[in-house]
Each structure stands twice: as C-alpha cells, then as structure tokens.
Amino acid sequence: CEAADEFSVDAGRAATRRLLCRTEPDGLLCANDLLAAGAIGALRAAGYEIPDHIAVVGMDNSELAGITWPPLSSVDLGSEERARRAVELLMDRIEQPARPTERIHVEARLVVRASSSAEVLA
C-alpha cells in the first residue's frame, strides 16, 4: 500500500495516484477520512467508479464521510466516548491520586455507506 506523508486530502490523492501506477486494487482502507476523500477524488479522476471498481473506506467517521460522493464508509473509533472516558479517569485520578491504573476499551464499528457497498446506493 502507498503511504501518505500527511493526513490530508491532497496526500490521499497523491498516494492513490502513485498506487494506481503500480496496481489496480479492489479496495482501499485509508488511515483517516481526509485521505479517503483524496483517494475518491483521484480514483474518479482516473475513471474508476466507486464502489463498482474499487471500494473505499476511511477511518474516524468524521462529518466529511457523509458529504463525499459517494458517501464514505468509515470506521468509527468512538472518539467522543474515548474523550468522555478519559475525562472521567482524569477526574478520578485527581480525586484519588493513589487509585490503581485502569484500562478502558472502546469498541470501533464500521459505518457502511455507498463507497464500499453497491447495495447502499440502490
């Protein structure tokens, strides 16, 4: 997989163009939604139909995921829940400095939209 040098739309576009020079993937899983939006732009400019030719999935499930065309499937990492739980842990630590360390787990979930499923477009 091609690496992007930053998490931006332009970096996603550039990495996808480099990838297409070497291969024709069935799908792309991008490290964030900005990179995925750039990938969609590069793929469409190269004549690929999404998801018919190539499926694209981002990460973060940001607001951007719902406004790309086609709408972007994205992995929701539970950022709001992680932030809420981190604040709770910090407040507990302030109140009880000797409290044992606690590890939490927030489930990720795939939010399927049209960029990875032709059935969603129907």
Side-chain angles (χ1 to χ4, degrees):
C1 183
E2 285 296 319
D5 54 2
E6 60 184 56
F7 289 144
S8 70
V9 173
D10 286 341
R13 191 176 298 120
T16 302
R17 283 194 299 251
R18 289 191 306 271
L19 179 67
L20 292 175
C21 289
R22 292 194 348 248
T23 188
E24 281 192 32
D26 294 341
L28 299 177
L29 173 60
C30 301
N32 75 3
D33 291 344
L34 290 169
L35 290 168
I40 286 173
L43 291 167
R44 292 182 73 194
Y48 291 91
E49 295 292 328
I50 302 158
D52 296 336
H53 298 137
I54 299 176
V56 179
V57 177
M59 187 118 8
D60 297 331
N61 195 33
S62 67
E63 192 173 322
L64 178 63
I67 62 173
T68 60
W69 185 254
L72 178 64
S73 294
S74 187
V75 178
D76 188 328
L77 299 173
S79 298
E80 289 180 25
E81 177 68 10
R82 286 186 298 148
R84 186 184 66 72
R85 296 294 308 272
V87 169
E88 287 174 359
L89 290 173
L90 176 60
M91 297 304 292
D92 289 346
R93 174 69 63 195
I94 290 169
E95 291 173 8
Q96 300 173 356
R99 178 188 170 118
T101 302
E102 184 179 342
R103 185 175 292 224
I104 63 166
H105 178 75
V106 176
E107 288 288 325
R109 67 183 178 89
L110 176 62
V111 179
V112 178
R113 296 187 181 93
S115 71
S116 67
S117 175
E119 293 175 12
V120 176
L121 286 173

